Structures are given as C-alpha cells and as structure tokens.
Amino acid sequence: MTTIRIPTGQAPGSVLGAAPGTTEDLEAYLATGGYTDATGPEELLRHLAASGLRGRGGAGFPADVKLRAVRERGGAPVVVANGEEGEPGSVKDRWLLRARPHLVLDGLARAAAVTGAVRGYVYLSDPVAADRVRRALAEREPCLPVEVVETAHAYVAGEESAVVRRIDGGPALPTAKPPRPFERGVGGAPTLVSNVETLARIALTAALPGLRRAIARSTLVTLSGGSAAPVLTEVPYGVPLRTLAGELGAPDAAGALLGGLFGGLVDARALDLPLEPGALAAADTALGCGAIRFLAPGACPVSTAADAVGHLAAESARQCGVCVSGTAAVRDAVYALAVGTAGPDTLVHLERWSRGLPGRGACGLLDAAAGLAGSLLRSFPELVRSHLRGPCPGCARAVSSPASGHGHRLTVAVPDVSAATADDRTARTAPTEPRLPALKGTP
C-alpha cells in the first residue's frame, strides 16, 4: 500500500495539506483560507506569471500563458480539471481529488474567472474520486455550472484532445492537431484543460500570494521501486534525486525511471541531479507527472524498459499506423534484448527509432516509447551490449511475453483516503502518516 508522508516542518501553501488521509470537507477547507475573494483574476494572473508556475500534468507549460491563451480567444470558454491519471506509476491526481476536492474546485473557479469561462468540468476515471468531487459540489454551489465526466482508465485518456472528445460524447482518444483545445475545444469553444495539481496550486496562490514562489517550486511526487512501499509526498524543487531514493529506502539505487514513462531511464550517476525541470531537461530526461521509480541494485534496466514499452504498446489508441507499428517494433526489440535473442542490428534499429519516431503520432505515447528506447541506450550502453551475448538472468526472471503489456509491475496503488465526517475534525489536526525529514530545495 502506498504511504503518504508529510514533510517535517511543512510550510503553509502545501498541496498535501495537514491531513492527507482524510477527505477535506468544506468547513475544513474554508479554515485554510479557501475560496477567498482577496485576490482578483488580474492580480492572480500577475502572481502566476511572477511565480513561474508550470503545469503538473507532464508537459510543464507556464500556467499563466495557458490561461491567457484561452481568454484571448474570446467567446464563451470552458474550463476542465483533468484528473485522468494514465501513468501507471503516478497516484497524485487521484489522491488529490479524493482528499482535497475543494482545493481543485477552487482552482477551477479561479481559472474560470481568469478566462471568462461559462462552464466547467471535472474529468476523471476514478469512481472514488468522482464521489468525493460530487460531495464537494453538493456542499458548496460553484460559481459556474460544473459537471463531473467519467471515462474508462487508459494511458491516452488524459491527453487534452482525448479529454475534449470524451466530454463531447465521443471516445477518449486523441485527435490530430491543430486545432488545439485552447483554439477549439469542448462544443467548439476555447477550452482550458488543466491538470488538477496545477489548479490546486492556482488556488493556493490566490489564497497565499506571498508564498507564490514556494507554491510554484514545490511538487507532489510518487516514489516507488525496490522492496519498499511506494510513497506519495511533496518536495521542493532542487532536492537531489539520490536524497529521494534514500527516503524511499533505496539509497543504493542503480538508476531510475523518471517522469512516469515519459522521462525515460537514467543511471546511478544521474541521481545526483536536482529535482528541477530545467536541470532534468538539460540531462535529457524529464520530471513529467512526478512519478519516479528507482531501480534496485542488481535489477536490470532492460527488463524495466521491456515492461514500460510493453505497457505503452498495449495502451496504443490504434488510430495512427505509425504508432501501432512503431511501439510494437520497439517493444519486440527490447524484449529480444531481455531474453537474449537480439541480433547485432537490434541496437541499430532502436537507435534509429529513438530519433525518428518522436512527433509522428497524434499524442505522446509513441514519443514515450521511442524516448524509453533512446534513454536505455544512452544510460546503460555497456549493459545493453552485454545482452547481445546471451540471456540476462535478471531479465529472465522478470520478463515473460512481449505482448503481455506488464504495466502492472510498474503500477502504484492510490493511498487510502477516508471520507470526512463531522467527527473527523479533531483527528485532522493529528495526522498519523510517517513524516519525511525536512528537505532543502533551491529558492
């Protein structure tokens, strides 16, 4: 079961909050300064721009720029809180909707005020989260009509054009772009599709503008790997990856799978990198959704890559021929490496695909598969070449069929969040989760 850890000396402005194991009701949320009228839309936009807040859905686009783009289209915009979490190693968005639905709804209302939106949606696949959001909507009538839209869980279902397509009554599958949702989205209207953690940080910035920089430079992370139980926590930018590995109980990690499946694999030397989007991008990896899977000593990264690309191939929307054939080819090549049947040309093909496939699909799934292959070759070149000489014992124990899509080995369970009742209010002040030592980041 995934553990929630509250940082020692947790400062105000935390998305994790004081009692992350219990759903925060309206009374508790108002007590934190939620739904305040103190910060207007224009002032909030200035604070977001000054703070440098970037989206937490994976792409990391500047929040203020995205809001302005929708507003400048005019008409009757739509705002969407995107809580569909397709990455198997991430739990933060589902936890957030289960535990702090009012914080997300407050952020959605702020986004509506900035963009001039007339309708809102909360989009998700988790039935528990849907129930908590509906309860929150019943506790406090929103400032604009808000509808909860449920979808089937899938890797591509949270892609922004898939979100729009599903809300409009179609399948949750990506579409070709342009137009992008900010140009033409739900019902043809300019649409903001924003990750729920991004909206939570917008709400916190409105309530605590003096802490805007700290709010923007902290992030929820899901840590997993090895024999330790996964951990959901909140950390400041700048914390070394190696420190996070130690807090998980994996101080001797041999590397990591970063950003869910999007950031690719890194070796042990990269664990000295700071958890900061710019630094990670400069090292050819990414923070993505904040999911980090550490590789245990002795674990073979080829088997991890085989699991990851197998999952991506199984999750393909099967709309783009290049995605269907490309992800299958990458999957089969990495599987061949894992079981010792790869030929000399396998590495040549993987290198070519890692460079030539990105950007050719309707969504990022093909990019993730190609990026994983490229990161495996870059980060573990000698180890990969050793797989050409015969089966790897570690891989043989971990890998089975190439078409089985073993994403379940990378899947992290959502932490338990109990529904709030009036009797819970005293308990909220005394959380029982183990605490994470205070971690220093960069200002």
Side-chain angles (χ1 to χ4, degrees):
M1 178 56 68
T2 303
T3 300
I4 306 171
R5 291 192 186 172
I6 305 172
T8 300
Q10 183 186 60
S14 164
V15 170
L16 204 58
T22 303
T23 300
E24 183 178 54
D25 64 13
L26 179 60
E27 181 180 337
Y29 183 60
L30 292 174
T32 70
Y35 295 121
T36 178
D37 294 328
T39 305
E42 291 301 324
E43 185 182 1
L44 177 58
L45 258 183
R46 289 194 294 272
H47 285 307
L48 294 175
S51 73
L53 177 66
R54 290 179 173 268
R56 295 297 195 270
F61 201 74
D64 67 302
V65 174
K66 198 167 180 178
L67 287 162
R68 289 181 193 276
V70 174
R71 183 176 69 172
E72 288 169 2
R73 301 296 296 187
V78 173
V79 287
V80 181
N82 186 5
E84 171 45 23
E85 196 165 35
E87 290 282 1
S90 181
V91 300
K92 69 180 182 72
D93 294 336
R94 285 166 289 173
W95 166 81
L96 183 52
L97 289 168
R98 291 181 181 193
R100 305 200 70 188
H102 281 290
L103 181 61
V104 175
L105 292 171
D106 192 355
L108 188 67
R110 306 283 178 182
V114 169
T115 60
V118 297
R119 284 180 293 151
Y121 296 88
V122 180
Y123 176 84
L124 42 68
S125 64
D126 177 22
V128 177
D131 175 69
R132 305 292 165 84
V133 172
R134 289 189 175 103
R135 290 190 194 188
L137 288 168
E139 283 188 297
R140 183 181 189 274
E141 186 176 353
C143 59
L144 76 167
V146 174
E147 180 183 346
V148 177
V149 176
E150 297 183 65
T151 189
H153 179 71
Y155 188 84
V156 300
E159 193 273 339
E160 61 175 4
S161 67
V163 173
V164 169
R165 196 172 177 184
R166 173 68 186 90
I167 292 173
D168 275 342
L173 298 174
T175 60
K177 294 168 279 291
R180 292 192 173 273
F182 82 90
E183 298 168 311
R184 181 180 176 84
V186 175
T191 299
L192 175 79
V193 179
S194 186
N195 171 262
V196 292
E197 185 187 348
T198 310
L199 293 172
R201 294 192 181 278
I202 288 173
L204 287 170
T205 301
L208 301 164
L211 297 177
R212 65 192 186 191
R213 184 71 171 164
I215 292 166
R217 292 188 61 78
S218 297
T219 194
L220 294 175
V221 291
T222 310
L223 310 176
S224 63
S227 58
V231 169
L232 172 66
T233 191
E234 186 171 13
V235 298
Y237 284 167
V239 174
L241 295 174
R242 194 176 303 280
T243 300
L244 297 180
E247 296 305 334
L248 178 67
D252 300 322
L257 178 60
L258 281 172
L261 305 183
F262 193 78
L265 289 155
V266 298
D267 63 15
R269 294 169 299 176
L271 299 185
D272 291 322
L273 288 169
L275 186 82
E276 198 280 324
L280 294 177
D284 287 326
T285 184
L287 177 59
C289 63
I292 305 172
R293 184 176 185 83
F294 292 102
L295 307 180
C300 185
V302 175
S303 66
T304 301
D307 279 346
V309 296
H311 178 69
L312 289 168
E315 289 287 309
S316 170
R318 310 195 71 78
Q319 296 186 125
C320 308
V322 68
C323 181
V324 175
S325 60
T327 54
V330 173
R331 176 201 64 201
D332 292 346
V334 176
Y335 174 77
L337 281 172
V339 298
T341 60
D345 59 347
T346 300
L347 302 189
V348 176
H349 291 323
L350 284 173
E351 176 67 28
R352 186 176 76 249
W353 294 331
S354 72
R355 297 179 183 277
L357 290 177
R360 296 181 62 187
C363 68
L365 187 144
L366 180 60
D367 294 19
L372 269 162
S375 69
L376 178 65
L377 299 179
R378 285 194 308 274
S379 299
F380 301 97
E382 294 301 324
L383 187 147
V384 169
R385 279 194 287 272
S386 73
H387 284 64
L388 298 177
R389 297 192 287 270
C392 163
C395 288
R397 291 190 297 270
V399 174
S400 54
S401 165
S404 54
H406 284 301
H408 66 272
R409 285 202 280 257
L410 306 173
T411 299
V412 174
V414 184
D416 285 336
V417 178
S418 62
T421 68
D423 296 333
D424 293 326
R425 291 185 185 121
T426 301
R428 279 197 197 94
T429 63
T432 58
E433 293 81 1
R435 287 188 173 263
L436 190 75
L439 301 176
K440 275 195 163 183
T442 53

